[in-house]
């Protein structure tokens, strides 16, 4: 069975000089339409409760994330590891009722905490921007 690491290597190879001409040509802008289409296909699979197709379409969305991350890495912006690290940090921050000392006894309380943390992050980011710091 292939792994996430295999997918990263495959996408890097597709974008390499010896890879696929179409994949090498893609940019953030050209990939926007692909991401939109694949996301819509996920919605359709969920609506039709087609789990086999949902599995495939989620893979296609994951490909979009990995492809955009590869483009970013090539440009020196960030890597897929940065994306994963940022996501993990966000999940931990926004779930203080799981990873911290807050309490949430219901889905509504969990959502309230999520929104509260998101607003706090936004305020901190704006403050850094106002102070000329990198957010």
């Amino acid at each position: 069975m292939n792994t996430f690491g295999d997918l990263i290597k495959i996408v890097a190879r597709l974008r390499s000089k010896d890879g696929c001409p179409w994949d090498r040509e893609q940019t953030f802008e050209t990939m926007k339409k692909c991401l939109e289409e694949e996301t819509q296909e996920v919605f359709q699979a969920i609506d039709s409760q087609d789990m086999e197709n949902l599995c495939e379409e989620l893979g296609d969305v994951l490909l979009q994330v990995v492809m955009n991350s590869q483009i970013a890495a090539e440009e020196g912006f960030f890597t897929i590891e940065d994306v994963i690290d940022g996501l993990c940090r966000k999940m931990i921050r926004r779930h203080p009722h799981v990873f911290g000392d807050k309490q949430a006894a219901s889905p509504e309380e969990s959502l309230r905490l999520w929104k509260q943390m998101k607003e706090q992050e936004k305020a901190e980011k704006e403050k850094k921007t106002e102070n000329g710091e990198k957010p």
Side-chain angles (χ1 to χ4, degrees), residues 82-95:
D82 296 323
V83 172
I84 293 167
D85 181 63
L87 178 58
C88 289
R89 289 173 184 269
K90 181 192 296 186
M91 292 298 98
I92 292 168
R93 274 192 322 270
R94 293 198 185 167
H95 290 87

Side-chain angles (χ1 to χ4, degrees), residues 10-62:
I10 289 166
V11 170
R13 171 101 188 264
L14 290 171
R15 298 249 330 143
S16 73
K17 68 179 180 75
D18 298 324
C20 172
W22 185 89
D23 289 291
R24 273 196 316 266
E25 192 175 85
Q26 299 315 299
T27 65
F28 296 126
E29 287 299 315
T30 62
M31 294 301 294
K32 283 170 54 175
K33 183 74 174 160
C34 296
L35 179 57
E36 180 180 37
E37 289 173 1
E38 298 302 346
T39 302
Q40 287 300 320
E41 290 174 3
V42 166
F43 296 160
Q44 292 167 1
I46 291 169
D47 290 344
S48 65
Q49 298 181 356
D50 183 344
M51 294 303 114
E52 183 177 330
N53 191 38
L54 178 59
C55 181
E56 179 180 341
E57 298 305 338
L58 288 172
D60 291 344
V61 170
L62 180 58

Side-chain angles (χ1 to χ4, degrees), residues 28 64-86 134:
F28 296 126
Q64 300 306 308
V65 172
V66 173
M67 179 73 86
N68 275 283
S69 296
Q70 178 65 31
I71 293 167
E74 292 166 7
E75 298 292 326
F77 297 130
F78 57 84
T79 66
I80 189 67
E81 290 83 5
D82 296 323
V83 172
I84 293 167
D85 181 63
K134 186 178 177 184

Side-chain angles (χ1 to χ4, degrees), residues 95-114:
H95 290 87
H97 54 289
V98 176
F99 301 103
D101 58 359
K102 303 282 185 187
Q103 298 294 317
S106 69
E108 294 79 17
E109 288 179 46
S110 298
L111 183 58
R112 182 185 56 76
L113 283 170
W114 175 278

